[in-house]
Amino acid sequence: MALKKNLALALALGLAATALQAQDMRIGLQEDPDVLDPDQSRTFVGRIVYAALCDKLVDISPGLEIVPMLATGWDWSSDGLQLTMTLRDGVTFHDGTPFNAAAVVANIDRSQNLPESRRKSELSSVTGVEAVDDLTVRFTLGAPDATLIAQLADRAGMMVSPTAAEAAGVDFGSNPVCSGPFSFVERIQQDRIVLARFADYWNADAIKLESVTFLPIPDTTVRLANLRAGDLDMLERLAATDAASVRGDADLSIAQATSLGYQGITINVANGERANSPIGQDARVRKALSVAIDRDVINQVVFEGAFAAGNQAYPPTSPWYNAAYPVPTRDVNAARALLAEAGYPDGIDITVQVANNPVQQQLMQVIQAMAGEAGIRITLEAKEFATLLSEQTAGNFIGSQVGWSGRVDPDGNIHQFMTTDGGLNDSGYSNAEVDRLLNEARTSNDIATRRALYTQASDILMADLPIIYLYHQVWIWALDSGIQGFVPYPDGMIRLQGVSMTQ
């Protein structure tokens, strides 16, 4: 009898341990995020972590509508110069600081004035923000800004604890404090980020997990092997070449959504000394590289036809795509002629940095071979992704293969990359007419007016080519079959509300 009781107890303890382990979701990321400060960061995978850590004023629906989050409602003044938001009652930050209008004011001030902030250009239209009362905040704009609500659905709208932010200053990212469903526990660079369920979360009933651990694994093959071995429960950006294999695995499931963004090659045209290269100083050389690339072949060879060839900041299916500039066909002779016209009949040598994951490296190896046939000899430099971005910001590059996850409003895909003082303008590109057109496009809520302005801007950008666009990806997630409730979104984020795990 004692033996049976001991066995029963051991079995019960074992089952309890398994259940406890199952409450921790382990998610494989393609890169390690940069600093975990919404004002300072810029990585796509960082935004995935924020989806669990930092709530925003507003969010998007799977259908790309703006929906309430920390703000439950909002109204514009008739002249478009004031935005009044009603805030959710009963919300607290992870350190117990109350979320209220004063907290919003402090967050916007930090985003606009922290010297290291990358959100300045996203909030440049805001000239003032005031707490009308504890749960009402009013934004005042210098000019109408059709993009502001969409910006508040992303990092510019992520609310951090004013108490923690003031105490930590620029080092806030080492111990971020927000108001999302999970709070920060620890981070070991290049190894893991651990978050724990926040018991006082305003929407606690929607959170079924006790913790979530993010594990950066750049190698897509290794990431999938970890999922199959049970060391991961989910991974983002499954390689398109592995999709059929996952669909055939009864222990796994797959989810996907068409992305809002793009992948391309950013060219350094005026960001420091390394801009002084043939491709940085002559748009004809940049065009030569562009026409030397067969984007359809890239899609078939690297992505088995799962993605969409592209040559603009928006995919061909977007209403903002400029149909006057279809995806170009490859023309090696035209590329060589452009090089000769620019004074390089014997070709050129350039260096392009690329993230150290197999998919992006294969992409650039295909491009390397195509460009070589046109006389553009590319040397590849593989770098860890956060390092690649740091070098890009510093201007320590000639070409950089990098992408953008995309935004709901078209402004989010182009303004900060192409305007003279844009927060993500790593190419150093500057054109006064492009600045005027893109700034004006922000001021109108009329779609036809905005489309005309973006069309005029693209006429110039297609000639200047500070970014050579390559393709638009489809987000593909692979999950353990025991995961339930996951909803794919076009922004590629992993929202854990309603997600549960079974064994």
Side-chain angles (χ1 to χ4, degrees):
M1 181 64 70
L3 178 60
K4 287 184 178 180
K5 287 183 177 179
N6 288 338
L7 286 173
L9 178 60
L11 179 59
L13 290 173
L15 289 174
T18 300
L20 183 62
Q21 183 180 17
Q23 292 173 333
D24 173 40
M25 177 175 279
R26 298 153 300 177
I27 300 175
L29 303 178
Q30 185 163 291
E31 298 103 16
D32 194 34
D34 57 353
V35 58
L36 291 178
D37 179 343
D39 281 329
Q40 297 186 63
S41 64
R42 61 177 294 174
T43 56
F44 171 71
V45 288
R47 291 172 63 224
I48 293 177
V49 175
Y50 291 141
L53 182 66
C54 300
D55 276 1
K56 303 168 290 189
L57 289 174
V58 292
D59 201 5
I60 64 169
S61 71
L64 302 181
E65 297 173 311
I66 302 294
V67 297
M69 199 170 202
L70 292 178
T72 57
W74 51 90
D75 291 295
W76 286 99
S77 62
S78 59
D79 60 5
L81 295 179
Q82 287 192 330
L83 171 66
T84 302
M85 289 187 139
T86 302
L87 305 179
R88 190 176 298 279
D89 194 8
V91 176
T92 59
F93 291 100
H94 300 148
D95 60 358
T97 300
F99 169 75
N100 51 29
V104 176
V105 171
N107 270 266
I108 300 302
D109 177 73
R110 184 177 192 266
S111 295
Q112 290 186 314
N113 296 305
L114 182 74
E116 296 80 8
S117 174
R118 294 182 178 276
R119 311 282 80 86
K120 294 176 183 179
S121 64
E122 298 167 14
L123 296 169
S124 60
S125 64
V126 178
T127 58
V129 57
E130 61 177 316
V132 178
D133 58 39
D134 205 41
L135 294 177
T136 308
V137 65
R138 179 176 296 134
F139 295 79
T140 300
L141 283 60
D145 183 1
T147 75
L148 182 59
I149 288 289
Q151 301 290 8
L152 298 178
D154 198 11
R155 278 175 288 215
M158 292 178 186
M159 297 289 104
V160 306
S161 165
T163 304
E166 183 177 0
V170 71
D171 296 323
F172 175 83
S174 64
N175 185 25
V177 181
C178 294
S179 65
F182 297 87
S183 61
F184 181 79
V185 175
E186 68 168 345
R187 177 179 190 176
I188 299 176
Q189 294 279 352
Q190 305 297 326
D191 183 69
R192 65 183 181 270
I193 296 171
V194 181
L195 310 180
R197 187 177 187 270
F198 179 45
D200 294 327
Y201 184 53
W202 62 269
N203 193 21
D205 289 346
I207 305 305
K208 314 298 181 183
L209 307 169
E210 288 300 318
S211 63
V212 55
T213 300
F214 296 96
L215 300 146
I217 305 174
D219 191 308
T220 53
T221 301
V222 173
R223 206 155 65 247
L224 179 56
N226 274 263
L227 178 65
R228 286 197 157 116
D231 295 324
L232 291 176
D233 302 298
M234 180 181 190
L235 62 82
E236 56 98 13
R237 278 180 286 180
L238 176 74
T241 50
D242 290 324
S245 170
V246 170
R247 287 191 178 95
D249 190 329
D251 294 327
L252 303 178
S253 63
I254 200 167
Q256 62 185 60
T258 302
S259 111
L260 303 170
Y262 62 80
Q263 288 282 333
I265 301 175
T266 295
I267 306 297
N268 188 345
V269 301
N271 186 359
E273 294 182 0
R274 296 201 73 185
N276 295 317
S277 68
I279 198 166
Q281 296 305 303
D282 198 319
R284 292 170 294 186
V285 178
R286 297 193 288 276
K287 185 174 181 181
L289 175 57
S290 181
V291 299
I293 297 170
D294 191 323
R295 291 158 172 82
D296 289 322
V297 167
I298 287 174
N299 186 32
Q300 294 300 324
V301 171
V302 183
F303 306 114
E304 295 193 352
F307 294 171
N311 66 325
Q312 299 177 35
Y314 322 108
T317 54
S318 169
W320 304 102
Y321 185 83
N322 188 346
Y325 298 97
V327 176
T329 56
R330 187 182 189 223
D331 192 333
V332 173
N333 291 332
R336 287 188 173 277
L338 284 163
L339 290 177
E341 181 184 330
Y344 304 102
D346 297 326
I348 62 165
D349 295 278
I350 65 171
T351 300
V352 177
Q353 61 175 9
V354 58
N356 64 339
N357 70 72
V359 174
Q360 304 314 123
Q361 291 188 58
Q362 182 187 6
L363 164 72
M364 281 309 305
Q365 287 163 2
V366 172
I367 291 175
Q368 183 183 46
M370 290 177 175
E373 293 178 4
I376 302 172
R377 297 173 291 273
I378 298 177
T379 298
L380 299 178
E381 291 183 343
K383 298 179 180 179
E384 188 273 325
F385 190 66
T387 300
L388 178 147
L389 288 182
S390 178
E391 298 280 72
Q392 203 174 284
T393 301
N396 189 25
F397 74 103
I398 293 175
S400 183
Q401 196 288 296
V402 70
W404 180 243
S405 53
R407 298 296 183 268
V408 175
D409 189 277
D411 177 90
N413 276 24
I414 192 168
H415 188 279
Q416 57 192 331
F417 299 95
M418 298 301 180
T419 52
T420 299
D421 297 317
L424 297 176
N425 185 359
D426 294 331
S427 69
Y429 177 74
S430 179
N431 183 296
E433 181 63 6
V434 170
D435 289 353
R436 183 189 71 80
L437 292 165
L438 296 182
N439 286 332
E440 189 175 338
R442 286 183 152 188
T443 67
S444 175
N445 286 310
D446 181 73
I447 292 178
T449 299
R450 298 188 78 198
R451 185 179 290 115
L453 291 165
Y454 287 125
T455 296
Q456 293 175 61
S458 70
D459 290 341
I460 300 170
L461 294 170
M462 281 295 179
D464 292 350
L465 289 177
I467 296 178
I468 298 171
Y469 300 100
L470 300 172
Y471 66 91
H472 307 275
Q473 67 191 91
V474 171
W475 303 124
I476 308 176
W477 297 267
L479 308 86
D480 183 276
S481 59
I483 294 177
Q484 299 175 343
F486 173 69
V487 178
Y489 279 67
D491 63 358
M493 297 300 100
I494 298 174
R495 291 166 173 82
L496 295 174
Q497 287 84 349
V499 175
S500 62
M501 302 172 63
T502 60
Q503 291 297 310

